[in-house]
Amino acid sequence: MQRRRILQGAAVTATAALLPASVRAVATPTSVTDYPQAQWFPAAPVNRTSANRRSGHQVDRIVIHVAQQTFTETIGIFADPATRVSAHYVVRSGDGFVAQCVRERNIAWHAGDWDYNARSIGIEHEGWVDQPSYFTPTMYERSARLTADICDRYGLARDRAHIIGHHEVPGSDHTDPGVNWDWGRYIRLVELV
């Protein structure tokens, strides 16, 4: 048990060292995450709406995003109070590392539509829609595990009716996750977990 804590501490330290100082200042590994494999990198409080969605706005879908940024830049954007944007989770491309930025009980500002924000969990993925090399097998696998976990906790079917792209939000002018996102592969992985 002691060795495990030491290794976990070393992993957190190594991960934090990869982030710029502006992000490290807000990155606090704690046990406040809703998903056990995530590390806590909080969005600025003004970039989300405090809520109790278990009793209020019931979660009925997951919105998949591609950040059009690197992992570190995305975390920094969510931590910046001037941006007025956030998502619940960010998944890193190379190793599938999962950061949680907003507690699931709260409403992240990710979909561009209040109704969809209020009833969804947003998952950002490092990368660009026109650069499929960012969509690594590890990223797909770790993101699918996260999505399956959310589906199970909220009683959602693991299907495309409940797992949608940002481009499918009514009124959205976004194209993410884009034509290079392999929906067939992703949903198969979500179903297999």
Side-chain angles (χ1 to χ4, degrees):
M1 188 64 136
Q2 180 68 13
R3 182 173 185 258
R4 184 177 191 190
R5 280 194 213 117
I6 291 169
L7 291 174
Q8 287 174 332
V12 168
T13 301
T15 300
L18 298 174
L19 300 173
S22 60
V23 175
R24 283 194 309 265
V26 299
T28 311
T30 69
S31 61
V32 300
T33 60
D34 297 296
Y35 180 62
Q37 285 75 42
Q39 290 288 325
W40 182 241
F41 291 81
V46 298
N47 291 347
R48 59 155 173 89
T49 300
S50 294
N52 182 357
R53 298 203 300 176
R54 290 282 185 190
S55 63
H57 307 280
Q58 196 66 13
V59 172
D60 66 4
R61 72 195 65 220
I62 297 165
V63 180
I64 301 297
H65 302 267
V66 172
Q68 299 295 101
Q69 297 289 336
T70 66
F71 174 87
T72 303
E73 290 168 335
T74 303
I75 296 293
I77 289 167
F78 294 167
D80 181 350
T83 62
R84 304 295 187 187
V85 66
S86 63
H88 294 91
Y89 296 96
V90 182
V91 181
R92 191 162 53 204
S93 172
D95 61 2
F97 178 86
V98 177
Q100 183 168 0
C101 302
V102 175
R103 291 294 306 269
E104 290 177 12
R105 71 175 176 247
N106 295 319
I107 299 168
W109 299 350
H110 62 95
D113 176 280
W114 173 252
D115 184 49
Y116 274 68
N117 282 343
R119 58 193 191 136
S120 67
I121 301 293
I123 303 175
E124 286 281 0
H125 296 83
E126 176 182 30
W128 285 261
V129 297
D130 61 348
Q131 296 180 37
S133 61
Y134 275 93
F135 306 153
T136 65
T138 302
M139 186 201 68
Y140 274 120
E141 180 184 313
R142 299 284 169 80
S143 177
R145 285 183 194 170
L146 169 62
T147 296
D149 185 77
I150 294 166
C151 287
D152 290 350
R153 286 187 282 113
Y154 289 93
L156 305 178
R158 297 178 182 193
D159 60 23
R160 285 285 284 123
H162 296 90
I163 305 166
I164 66 169
H166 191 184
H167 69 285
E168 295 172 290
V169 173
S172 175
D173 61 354
H174 289 251
T175 61
D176 62 305
V179 298
N180 293 308
W181 183 262
D182 189 341
W183 278 110
R185 175 184 190 177
Y186 189 69
I187 296 299
R188 277 191 306 276
L189 286 168
V190 171
E191 291 171 343
L192 290 173
V193 174

